[in-house]
Amino acid sequence: MSAVRIDGRQVAKGLNRATRERALSLTRPPGLAVVLVGEDPASEVYVRRKGIVAGRLGFQHQQLTLPAATTQDELHAVIDTLNADPSVDGILVQLPLPSHLDSDAVLESIHPDKDVDGLTPASAGLLAIGRPLLVPCTPAGCMHLIEATGVDLSGAHAVVLGRSNIVGRPIARLLEQANATVTVCHSRTKHPERITREADVLIAAVGRPKMVGADWVRPGAVVIDVGINRLADGSLCGDVDTDAVAQVASAITPVPGGVGPMTIAMLMRNTLVASERRQSNRP
Ligand code: NDP
């Protein structure tokens, strides 16, 4: 078997087109503010890409770049200003923050209505009780890619490798809400390969290059590779050994070009949703 490669760039393009069209019917364009603290090169690339896509979709976009030595109080003051700014519908603080800053406290200070990254406790709580509103972008993007394969999640066994608040946990909730039976593996799981071999849908979100080999995958499974790992030669790879697993799976996301573009597309979608809600004064 040779798996279908799920083209995240194409799926993201379609989603962005729909987002742009929906945004045109609003009185004013959705407004996104992205806060970057310090000079982490990878974060600078991600923030730049978000700005480019926001611009293409006709969103109002502002990037606030703060020095690495920014204090907790100074950062909170910036967030408070954005929370109060009526032209800002969505606030994203690019992670990771410099180590002297308390990321949890910063995320908690974002007004839940403007939490387009879906990472505040309020957003996580709504997702946990089955009333998702602003869902973390990478998990939401993964669900979109799974839907694009046409696989029926109802009754399927989905296995998630990883349990971070940004990826593993929220995607497990979304899969469960789509009526999959979900197993979550983490660093203490014994023999994860025995569990992944039972998966109809396998999500790898660990951060270990090519950890998932062909012998970890059930023939015909759908495999979503969230991992982004940089190898010694500078190239990127995921958590899945793509070429080997493609011989076994029915569909697989490449790295790059799989989940990555969807993360930005879902950020734009969340910003649109937040803007629609604010412009129509929905609770
Ligand atoms: P974290 O480091 O926060 O979490 C990693 C998770 O993997 C933890 O839950 C950890 O378990 C688990 N884990 C570690 N080792 C193993 C193992 N041997 N077997 C099973 N589970 C293991 O990472 P993130 O969730 O933030 O990111 C995961 C990957 O996804 C990274 O490569 C990151 O770069 C990428 N990523 C990609 C995005 C995209 O847009 N494509 C967006 C966000 C992340 P434990 O909880 O026990 O420590």
Side-chain angles (χ1 to χ4, degrees):
M1 181 182 291
S2 187
V4 170
R5 308 271 171 151
I6 308 166
D7 187 342
R9 292 193 180 105
Q10 278 307 320
V11 181
K13 257 189 202 168
L15 185 63
N16 283 337
R17 214 175 299 124
T19 298
R20 185 184 161 82
E21 275 166 26
R22 234 165 86 177
L24 288 174
S25 65
L26 290 170
T27 313
R28 60 163 178 80
L32 173 65
V34 177
V35 181
L36 174 65
V37 185
E39 290 157 10
D40 176 61
S43 292
E44 283 175 348
V45 171
Y46 292 139
V47 165
R48 204 176 314 127
R49 280 193 201 144
K50 286 165 186 169
I52 290 169
V53 178
R56 277 196 206 128
L57 299 192
F59 286 15
Q60 268 182 15
H61 169 254
Q62 51 173 305
Q63 180 182 326
L64 293 94
T65 306
L66 309 177
T70 300
T71 65
Q72 191 82 23
D73 286 347
E74 286 166 343
L75 184 50
H76 281 294
V78 169
I79 307 261
D80 288 346
T81 304
L82 294 172
N83 279 337
D85 185 337
S87 72
V88 173
D89 299 302
I91 302 168
L92 179 139
V93 176
Q94 185 66 40
L95 300 176
L97 288 170
S99 55
H100 67 280
L101 294 171
D102 178 346
S103 303
D104 287 341
V106 171
L107 291 176
E108 279 170 38
S109 72
I110 296 172
H111 193 290
D113 289 350
K114 299 191 178 189
D115 175 26
V116 286
D117 222 6
L119 296 178
T120 62
S123 298
L126 285 172
L127 177 60
I129 61 169
R131 288 171 41 203
L133 184 57
L134 295 170
V135 175
C137 301
T138 302
C142 291
M143 292 302 287
H144 228 82
L145 292 175
I146 294 168
E147 279 164 24
T149 68
V151 70
D152 184 6
L153 279 174
S154 182
H157 185 194
V159 175
V160 181
L161 290 169
R163 58 174 169 180
S164 72
N165 287 334
I166 294 179
V167 190
R169 266 196 193 113
I171 195 149
R173 293 280 77 77
L174 290 169
L175 288 162
E176 178 217 345
Q177 283 160 26
N179 295 318
T181 300
V182 183
T183 308
V184 177
C185 301
H186 46 76
S187 64
R188 309 294 172 89
T189 301
K190 291 180 181 146
H191 306 295
E193 69 285 357
R194 291 185 193 161
I195 299 166
T196 58
R197 278 200 290 267
E198 301 293 316
D200 301 304
V201 175
L202 173 60
I203 317 285
V206 173
R208 290 180 178 258
K210 302 188 184 185
M211 183 177 97
V212 176
D215 56 340
W216 284 48
V217 176
R218 177 183 190 149
V222 169
V223 179
I224 305 292
D225 189 357
V226 182
I228 302 178
N229 308 290
R230 196 165 287 284
L231 299 177
D233 66 2
S235 63
L236 288 182
C237 79
D239 293 343
V240 176
D241 184 347
T242 313
D243 290 338
V245 170
Q247 302 306 311
V248 183
S250 63
I252 188 167
T253 57
V255 176
V259 173
M262 291 304 295
T263 298
I264 298 182
M266 291 310 312
L267 172 66
M268 300 306 147
R269 177 50 65 106
N270 276 348
T271 305
L272 170 72
V273 169
S275 187
E276 287 173 338
R277 285 169 52 79
R278 294 187 69 246
Q279 293 195 44
S280 65
N281 290 319
R282 254 179 278 157

